[in-house]
Amino acid sequence: MNQQTGQEETKTFGWSGWRNSGAVRWLLLLLFVLLFYFSLAPHVLPKTYNIELGKASDRDIEAPMEIKDEKATLQAQEDAAERVEPMYSIVALRSETLLEQVFARMEQLNQDDQVTLENKVAIYRSEIPQMYIDYVDQFVRLNKGNGTYNDSLLEEMSTVVKEQAYRIPEETFYKMPQLTAAQLSDMQTVAVQIVHKLMGDSLREAETARTKVAELVNASSLSERKSREIVQELARYAIMPNKFLDKQATNDARVAAKENTPQVVIKQGDVIVHKGDEITKETYERLSSFGLLQTKKNYWPQLGLFLFSALFLIVIYGYLEKASNLSGGTRTGYSNAQILMLLLIYLLNLLAMHIVELTQTRTMPYVGYLAPTAMGAMLIVMLLDVQLAVVSSFVFAIMGSIIFNTGSGQIFDFNYGFTTAVVSFAAIFAIHRASQRSTILKAGIMASLFGSASVLAILLLGDIPPKTDLVMTVAFAFASGLLTAILVVGLMPFFEVTFGILSALKLVELSNPNHPLLRKLLTETPGTYHHSVMVGNLSEAAAEAIGANGLLCRVGSYYHDIGKTKRPGYFIENQTNFENPHDSIDPKLSKSIIIAHARDGVEMLKNHKLPKPIRDIAEQHHGTTFLKFFYHKATKLAEEEGVEPDFTEEDFRYPGPKAQSKEAAIVGIADSVEAAVRSMRSPTMEQVESMIHKIIKGRLEDDQFNECDLTLKELEKIAQTLKETIIGIFHSRIEYPEDVKSKERLA
């Protein structure tokens, strides 16, 4: 497998030993079947109900097909008509003409010397208000029936204009007879201009414009106070509302709204009968016509769906068994924790598909292409295995063709199945061996491009839809890939933390030299840093040779000796310009210092919250190996002092534990090999090969590989790979047979 699942304490998820429990495994497999069953049940199982006439329904009953609802249609039409706002129309009254008639009458009457002042006042008091009414009535008569305005509008206009008629103050009528013809001419010009300007706006209330008259008159050319006062009153008198409720237009609009109201239909999936509703005869007959009445029990569809779900599980479990055979595992190549993670990925992917399916309609079936169907495949690639992702892609494609089927008459709509398969495969190939989180976005873009291309190909092969639908379909397919990338980026940390997953992306982040611990290793113990890098190169090559996680070995090697930063001078690779301090201290103390670096390293890694697989490598790379040098030194000192040793070989062993994984064992071998090669001056290839086999044989005989499942065949591959890698790294230092013979001849 491409990724390494951390072996966290079993208490994290509940009971001890659950990761390898057969009962838990079968429970998880059963949950797979149930997940498939309930995901597909709403789409493939016919719904029937045990309904009795006259009784209340005990559940909601949904329509299996569309049906016209006349009653709801009539109600919808009434609602649409009520939503139409009242409509108003402008009537061009041209009240300037009325004003001109008033001024003409004033000029005529004021020049008549036979009429007394009192009579003139009385005439103005009676005629001017009547002229307003007569003008309105005449306007109605002239426009009635000519098609310019409808009768109801003219009637409304006449009523509103008369209601808003302005009442001229009494004192104004006494001022009017005193006006000369010249004054009237100037006043008429100003009054007509003001009325024309204010009536240019639409007015429902005349008073709104009348309040602006005084300001305009004061700004006019009239200088006499009396003239300005009379012009103000006459302008207010002539100003009329010109915007009126058009009842006929409003009624026409409401009729049009009713006509444009679409037919109300009970769509597929809509609730026909709500829980608690009484089953009337009409409802009963309608349910019968839909085939929703349960006349007899039929369990065959349920059995068929269960078998269908079981086949999905067989496909998945078959691959797990194949992985077991290839990996040499006991039951499957996957722990229960990994199977649980796979189940959760399936659940999230199917949940996302169902969420999108809820927004899908018969009129907009292309919404289904928005579903992030490649999300599951991408997560499986990064967290579990590429081959398992390919197998899962077929499962997701088949399920997608059922879930997004909007009524093609068949169980499957392979338009969606084909697109799901294409985007999943595109994402798998794009994200395979991803080493940066930006690769997820690139994989999402690839899924977008291939998804859009597959959808376009399907549309062009069939009946080409309208341009809008075509663009929307391709756009939804393109957006699906981007949505997939966003979801995967968001979900990756959740799986990494919850299941202790050390993904390739996380490993690459940890290998950054700017990590605080690696900076500390480089600045405080440069010799150990160089040693760790060399061990990383060796262990990665060896791990990949046997199918283990090479990237984990490399990154684990970077941190495996981090504990040496606590006492750097006591380790030989850091002793460059000073004497070895072990020469002057007790070998027991030296042993304690050397052994402590593994424990110290684990503590430092814990403090910096590095994942457990990295900590395991730091803790286990020495296993329980024997510190021969210090043991023999301590024995020699005891002999020289003439005392019996108060220690045994077990006291000079690392505390362990032994390597629990192949990766930890490989790092331990590479650590010893690198140190041995570094200590050799001008080694030959034969010496390097002999040294590697000696180290591996020594660890094998010391039972250091008993708990990590390394086979003899794999150890041989590791030896061969280490030899080839060392020759490549230390090429300039290794003497070849020709060089040895040349030196012998010179000697």
Side-chain angles (χ1 to χ4, degrees):
M1 290 177 287
N2 296 332
Q3 310 299 338
Q4 177 73 17
T5 302
Q7 302 298 317
E8 297 288 354
E9 293 83 353
T10 54
K11 64 180 180 181
T12 303
F13 291 104
W15 60 91
S16 176
W18 77 276
R19 292 174 180 271
N20 298 309
S21 168
V24 173
R25 187 180 303 276
W26 284 109
L27 175 61
L28 292 174
L29 296 177
L30 176 61
L31 290 177
F32 267 103
V33 175
L34 295 178
L35 175 62
F36 297 142
Y37 183 92
F38 288 108
S39 293
L40 300 178
H43 303 276
V44 297
L45 293 182
K47 295 181 180 179
T48 58
Y49 305 90
N50 186 14
I51 300 298
E52 294 186 21
L53 185 62
K55 291 189 176 182
S57 175
D58 60 350
R59 70 190 70 191
D60 291 340
I61 300 177
E62 297 179 352
M65 63 186 72
E66 290 186 353
I67 183 172
K68 294 181 179 180
D69 192 333
E70 299 296 340
K71 183 177 180 181
T73 300
L74 291 174
Q75 183 61 45
Q77 290 175 346
E78 294 299 327
D79 293 342
E82 290 180 4
R83 287 193 296 270
V84 174
E85 297 290 337
M87 303 188 69
Y88 291 84
S89 297
I90 302 294
V91 177
L93 286 167
R94 297 187 59 83
S95 54
E96 304 96 315
T97 303
L98 170 63
L99 199 58
E100 291 171 354
Q101 292 175 4
V102 171
F103 274 100
R105 177 58 176 156
M106 290 170 60
E107 183 178 359
Q108 176 190 6
L109 190 59
N110 285 358
Q111 292 176 0
D112 191 348
D113 298 334
Q114 302 299 320
V115 183
T116 65
L117 179 63
E118 295 295 333
N119 289 336
K120 289 180 181 179
V121 172
I123 291 172
Y124 287 143
R125 185 186 297 116
S126 62
E127 285 189 3
I128 289 180
Q130 187 61 41
M131 290 174 67
Y132 183 94
I133 296 173
D134 293 342
Y135 181 81
V136 173
D137 291 341
Q138 183 182 15
F139 185 90
V140 172
R141 288 194 302 272
L142 292 175
N143 288 280
K144 197 169 187 177
N146 64 6
T148 304
Y149 307 105
N150 61 69
D151 293 349
S152 64
L153 178 60
L154 291 172
E155 183 179 348
E156 178 72 12
M157 180 274 295
S158 175
T159 302
V160 173
V161 169
K162 290 177 181 179
E163 287 176 353
Q164 296 188 28
Y166 182 75
R167 184 176 181 181
I168 298 176
E170 187 70 19
E171 61 268 19
T172 303
F173 295 128
Y174 284 93
K175 298 175 183 179
M176 288 180 178
Q178 303 172 14
L179 298 173
T180 64
Q183 290 175 320
L184 289 172
S185 177
D186 293 340
M187 291 168 60
Q188 179 178 345
T189 301
V190 173
V192 169
Q193 290 176 350
I194 292 173
V195 171
H196 179 76
K197 180 178 181 179
L198 294 177
M199 289 287 289
D201 299 329
S202 59
L203 300 174
R204 292 181 58 187
E205 298 291 337
E207 194 60 34
T208 303
R210 288 169 182 164
T211 58
K212 303 176 183 178
V213 170
E215 181 182 354
L216 294 175
V217 171
N218 291 333
S220 69
S221 59
L222 295 177
S223 58
E224 294 183 9
R225 180 179 177 182
K226 180 174 63 176
S227 298
R228 291 200 302 270
E229 290 176 351
I230 295 174
V231 167
Q232 286 182 23
E233 299 303 328
L234 290 177
R236 293 188 181 111
Y237 158 83
I239 291 175
M240 308 174 184
N242 57 12
K243 186 176 181 180
F244 309 98
L245 174 64
D246 193 336
K247 295 180 180 179
Q248 182 173 328
T250 301
N251 290 335
D252 292 343
R254 287 174 176 170
V255 170
K258 289 182 178 181
E259 294 175 350
N260 293 331
T261 301
Q263 178 77 41
V264 176
V265 296
I266 301 174
K267 297 180 180 179
Q268 181 181 8
D270 288 350
V271 177
I272 302 174
V273 179
H274 290 275
K275 183 178 179 180
D277 290 350
E278 182 181 352
I279 304 299
T280 63
K281 183 177 180 180
E282 178 184 356
T283 305
Y284 190 85
E285 291 176 353
R286 184 163 56 170
L287 293 175
S288 178
S289 64
F290 292 163
L292 296 178
L293 296 182
Q294 194 176 76
T295 56
K296 62 179 181 178
K297 295 182 179 180
N298 182 10
Y299 295 110
W300 293 114
Q302 286 84 349
L303 177 59
L305 179 57
F306 181 81
L307 292 175
F308 194 83
S309 303
L311 289 173
F312 278 148
L313 176 63
I314 291 173
V315 171
I316 297 172
Y317 189 74
Y319 173 77
L320 298 180
E321 284 294 331
K322 179 182 178 183
S324 170
N325 296 332
L326 292 177
S327 63
T330 55
R331 187 179 293 267
T332 70
Y334 295 84
S335 68
N336 288 340
Q338 291 173 303
I339 296 176
L340 175 60
M341 181 168 55
L342 179 64
L343 175 63
L344 186 56
I345 292 173
Y346 267 76
L347 175 63
L348 292 174
N349 202 65
L350 292 174
L351 180 62
M353 294 167 69
H354 279 290
I355 291 174
V356 174
E357 183 266 335
L358 291 176
T359 65
Q360 190 182 25
T361 64
R362 286 180 174 270
T363 57
M364 294 194 304
Y366 47 78
V367 175
Y369 291 111
L370 180 62
T373 52
M375 177 180 69
M378 290 174 67
L379 288 172
I380 295 171
V381 168
M382 292 186 291
L383 299 173
L384 292 168
D385 182 61
V386 176
Q387 288 76 18
L388 180 58
V390 173
V391 173
S392 298
S393 296
F394 283 106
V395 176
F396 290 137
I398 296 174
M399 297 196 71
S401 66
I402 298 175
I403 293 174
F404 296 112
N405 187 358
T406 55
S408 62
Q410 303 292 330
I411 295 178
F412 305 98
D413 186 342
F414 283 104
N415 291 343
Y416 296 98
F418 174 74
T419 304
T420 298
V422 169
V423 297
S424 296
F425 294 150
I428 289 171
F429 297 138
I431 208 168
H432 182 40
R433 296 186 180 275
S435 58
Q436 296 180 351
R437 296 198 183 273
S438 60
T439 309
I440 298 177
L441 179 58
K442 295 177 183 177
I445 294 174
M446 288 295 293
S448 295
L449 295 175
F450 278 88
S452 301
S454 64
V455 167
L456 185 60
I458 292 171
L459 295 176
L460 295 180
L461 286 173
D463 295 332
I464 299 178
K467 184 177 180 180
T468 302
D469 289 352
L470 179 64
V471 172
M472 291 295 292
T473 303
V474 176
F476 275 118
F478 188 86
S480 171
L482 302 181
L483 178 61
T484 299
I486 294 171
L487 291 174
V488 171
V489 169
L491 289 172
M492 277 295 294
F494 164 76
F495 283 102
E496 289 174 347
V497 172
T498 303
F499 291 92
I501 297 298
L502 193 55
S503 66
L505 302 177
K506 184 68 174 178
L507 284 170
V508 171
E509 291 176 358
L510 293 175
S511 68
N512 191 329
N514 290 321
H515 191 282
L517 286 180
L518 293 184
R519 281 207 311 270
K520 179 180 179 69
L521 188 69
L522 175 61
T523 56
E524 298 180 10
T525 57
T528 300
Y529 179 83
H530 181 264
H531 161 70
S532 299
V533 173
M534 292 298 102
V535 173
N537 294 333
L538 294 173
S539 61
E540 182 178 34
E544 291 183 349
I546 65 169
N549 192 334
L551 185 57
L552 174 60
C553 286
R554 171 181 286 276
V555 180
S557 298
Y558 291 167
Y559 293 92
H560 81 289
D561 276 343
I562 194 68
K564 291 182 178 180
T565 57
K566 284 202 171 185
R567 304 174 189 86
Y570 287 90
F571 298 92
I572 191 169
E573 65 266 21
N574 300 311
Q575 299 167 2
T576 54
N577 299 320
F578 53 89
E579 294 182 356
N580 189 340
H582 293 290
D583 295 340
S584 58
I585 64 175
D586 186 81
K588 295 180 183 178
L589 178 60
S590 295
K591 178 263 303 183
S592 299
I593 293 173
I594 297 298
I595 287 177
H597 86 274
R599 181 182 65 253
D600 293 339
V602 172
E603 292 300 321
M604 294 175 68
L605 294 174
K606 280 186 178 179
N607 293 337
H608 283 76
K609 295 182 172 55
L610 264 73
K612 193 170 186 300
I614 301 295
R615 304 200 306 265
D616 288 343
I617 289 176
E619 185 178 26
Q620 301 167 14
H621 72 281
H622 283 297
T624 58
T625 52
F626 181 42
L627 294 171
K628 295 180 181 180
F629 176 81
F630 293 111
Y631 173 76
H632 292 309
K633 182 178 179 182
T635 303
K636 184 177 180 181
L637 286 176
E639 290 176 356
E640 292 175 353
E641 294 174 358
V643 297
E644 283 293 325
D646 57 351
F647 52 84
T648 65
E649 289 188 7
E650 294 301 320
D651 295 326
F652 282 80
R653 284 185 176 272
Y654 280 91
K658 297 177 182 179
Q660 302 296 304
S661 65
K662 294 181 179 180
E663 288 77 13
I666 291 171
V667 172
I669 295 172
D671 179 46
S672 298
V673 169
E674 197 281 334
V677 172
R678 184 164 25 88
S679 66
M680 300 169 68
R681 294 184 178 181
S682 302
T684 64
M685 291 198 323
E686 290 78 8
Q687 289 174 329
V688 170
E689 185 174 8
S690 174
M691 176 268 299
I692 293 173
H693 281 93
K694 182 179 178 181
I695 290 174
I696 294 177
K697 182 181 179 182
R699 290 203 170 212
L700 183 62
E701 292 175 349
D702 199 22
D703 298 330
Q704 296 299 314
F705 304 138
N706 287 6
E707 301 175 15
C708 64
D709 296 330
L710 274 176
T711 64
L712 292 175
K713 183 177 181 181
E714 288 173 336
L715 289 173
E716 184 62 32
K717 283 186 179 180
I718 291 172
Q720 180 65 25
T721 305
L722 289 176
K723 172 190 169 184
E724 295 171 355
T725 308
I726 288 173
I727 291 173
I729 295 176
F730 299 97
H731 184 274
S732 60
R733 291 185 51 201
I734 297 177
E735 293 187 353
Y736 291 85
E738 293 78 5
D739 299 329
V740 176
K741 291 179 180 178
S742 298
K743 287 186 178 182
E744 290 176 350
R745 285 196 298 269
L746 289 173

